């Protein structure tokens, strides 16, 4: 066994944060289409969360936003001329595609990659595979910058391996850590990796949703397990319940979250709940750990309430005393069924004894809660020292970033503003300065 800490890398919300309703299947995103957003407030809400958790002693870092708009994509589809020409023509001829080019969705870093810590990999390194996100146009090119960013932060190949995204084809649809959970007695112990998929590309008889798309395939999950060199005895592949996908559960982290040896999940999360639990218990037993399955019954919290409140899209964190805290969005307190359930949860004798509540309304309205905003990376002391230190959250970095946001972000962004060439200039100027703040020169290709 080796000692390790889990770092949460939260996405720093970008200056183009807007509500374009681009994510079919994500109920919150689709329901807020074309309303005005507040990028400044969104970024400050995210930073406040990072600061608060760091102050509590949790290992906290950030992943920077991506360059927007994506001029490369716009020019590849025939929109030519100066940057201003490209934006004007896109607004006239393809406004939805322009919104895709401006999307700030990389803020949800649970979709940036899948991560396997060194305790589980065949070569004793921490492995990352950038998610191809090929189900949605506005996310399908994120893996290019995500891979670049991960290699900038985790460039020491003695400790880290950053893999390219899987082939961008429906057979390997991969949405990253949002469909992946690691369970272990502690972060430094050998663990069990749970991959949850929504469909099987090469088995037409396998269950699949009928209303909304299933974004993760079994084939993608299996490929990542191979790339990371995972032990088959400690790797579990589970089919998501197709019916809940059709109710707006577009990722597994909308219906289940795990930490340590605890799996906090809704009874309708999996296609075969009993089989999944049996496989997890057997795999956990192989590493000398016992699964603590925290099941939420439909009678207590209907799926619709779980989706609207994002109860399961919460962070489950181990505190210094060994108990767990559940980091929830404020919407959980506003939902009567969920609020009642949470009161009973923390009052019980289970591992979760504290709720930490954050206002993340700007992110929530676009379909992402606390769990969407973070990528979990378990690191030994040596690995933590080997990564780039400029993204680790401190009081000094928090203060610099608040000043940066106040200087560069708008407090109101409407769909028509995406046609304004000044917005593109503001975004580029903001990222030029951010590179300096984080000590990451050349992070972006801003040419």
């Amino acid at each position: 066994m080796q000692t390790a800490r889990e770092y949460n890398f939260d996405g720093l919300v970008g200056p183009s944060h807007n509500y374009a309703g681009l994510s079919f299947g994500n109920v919150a995103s689709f329901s807020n289409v074309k309303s005005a957003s507040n990028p400044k407030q969104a970024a400050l809400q995210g930073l406040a969360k990072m600061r608060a958790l760091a102050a509590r002693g949790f290992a906290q870092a950030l992943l920077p936003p991506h360059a927007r708009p994506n001029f490369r994509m716009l020019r590849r589809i025939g929109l030519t001329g100066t940057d201003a020409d490209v934006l004007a023509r896109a607004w006239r001829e393809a406004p939805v595609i322009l919104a895709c080019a401006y999307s700030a969705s990389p803020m949800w870093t649970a979709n940036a990659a899948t991560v396997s810590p060194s305790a589980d990999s065949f070569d004793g390194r921490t492995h990352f595979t950038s998610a191809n996100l090929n189900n949605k146009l506005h996310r399908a090119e994120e893996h290019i910058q995500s891979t670049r960013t991960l290699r900038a932060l985790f460039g020491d190949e003695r400790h880290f391996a950053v893999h390219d995204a899987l082939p961008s084809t429906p057979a390997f649809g991969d949405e990253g850590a949002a469909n992946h959970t690691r369970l272990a007695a502690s972060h430094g112990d050998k663990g069990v990796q749970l991959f949850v998929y929504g469909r099987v590309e090469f088995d037409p008889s396998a269950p699949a949703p009928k209303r909304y798309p299933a974004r993760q395939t079994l084939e993608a999950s299996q490929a990542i397990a191979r790339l990371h060199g995972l032990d088959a005895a400690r790797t579990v592949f589970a089919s998501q319940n197709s019916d809940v996908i059709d109710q707006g559960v577009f990722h597994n982290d909308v219906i289940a979250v795990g930490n340590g040896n605890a799996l906090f999940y809704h009874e309708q999360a999996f296609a075969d709940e009993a089989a999944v639990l049996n496989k997890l218990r057997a795999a956990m037993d192989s590493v000398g750990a016992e699964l603590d399955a925290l099941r939420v019954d439909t009678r207590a919290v209907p799926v619709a309430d779980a989706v609207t409140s994002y109860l399961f899209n919460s962070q489950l964190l181990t505190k210094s005393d060994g108990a767990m805290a559940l980091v929830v969005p404020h919407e959980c307190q506003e939902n009567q069924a969920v609020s009642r359930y949470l009161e009973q949860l923390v009052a019980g004798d289970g591992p979760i004894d504290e709720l930490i509540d954050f206002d993340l309304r700007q992110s929530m309205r676009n379909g992402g809660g606390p769990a969407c905003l973070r990528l979990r990376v378990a690191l030994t002391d040596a690995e933590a020292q080997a990564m780039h230190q400029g993204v680790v959250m401190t009081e000094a970095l928090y203060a610099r970033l608040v000043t940066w946001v106040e200087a560069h972000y708008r407090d109101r962004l409407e769909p028509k503003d995406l046609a304004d060439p000044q917005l593109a200039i503001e975004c580029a100027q903001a990222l030029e300065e951010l590179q300096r703040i984080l000590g990451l020169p050349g992070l972006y290709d801003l040419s």
Side-chain angles (χ1 to χ4, degrees), residues 115-139:
V115 186
S116 296
S118 56
D120 294 349
S121 65
F122 73 102
D123 61 0
R125 295 188 294 171
T126 301
H127 285 251
F128 303 79
T129 296
S130 299
N132 59 35
L133 298 167
N134 65 14
N135 187 263
K136 296 287 182 287
L137 173 61
H138 67 290
R139 308 208 68 177

Side-chain angles (χ1 to χ4, degrees), residues 299-352:
R299 288 173 298 176
V301 179
V303 172
D305 288 317
V307 171
T308 56
S309 68
Y310 268 29
L311 167 62
F312 295 95
N313 197 248
S314 300
Q315 290 175 254
L316 192 53
L317 304 175
T318 301
K319 301 186 292 181
S320 58
D321 64 1
M324 296 186 192
L326 191 67
V327 179
V328 300
H330 189 64
E331 282 77 359
C332 283
Q333 307 294 1
E334 297 173 346
N335 182 293
Q336 187 175 6
V338 172
S339 178
R340 184 187 309 114
Y341 172 80
L342 287 174
E343 288 180 7
Q344 297 169 352
L345 178 70
V346 297
D349 57 1
I352 303 172

Side-chain angles (χ1 to χ4, degrees), residues 114-116 176-182 193-196 230 252 376:
T114 303
V115 186
S116 296
N179 294 306
H180 171 260
T181 299
R182 180 178 187 263
Q193 303 212 20
L194 170 64
F195 292 85
V196 181
L230 302 182
N252 179 63
R376 307 164 75 169

Side-chain angles (χ1 to χ4, degrees), residues 246-268:
D246 281 336
Q247 294 177 66
V249 181
F250 55 100
H251 290 140
N252 179 63
D253 69 0
V254 181
I255 203 74
V257 60
N259 176 63
N261 69 329
L263 179 66
F264 181 53
Y265 73 101
H266 194 277
E267 72 165 301
Q268 295 188 48

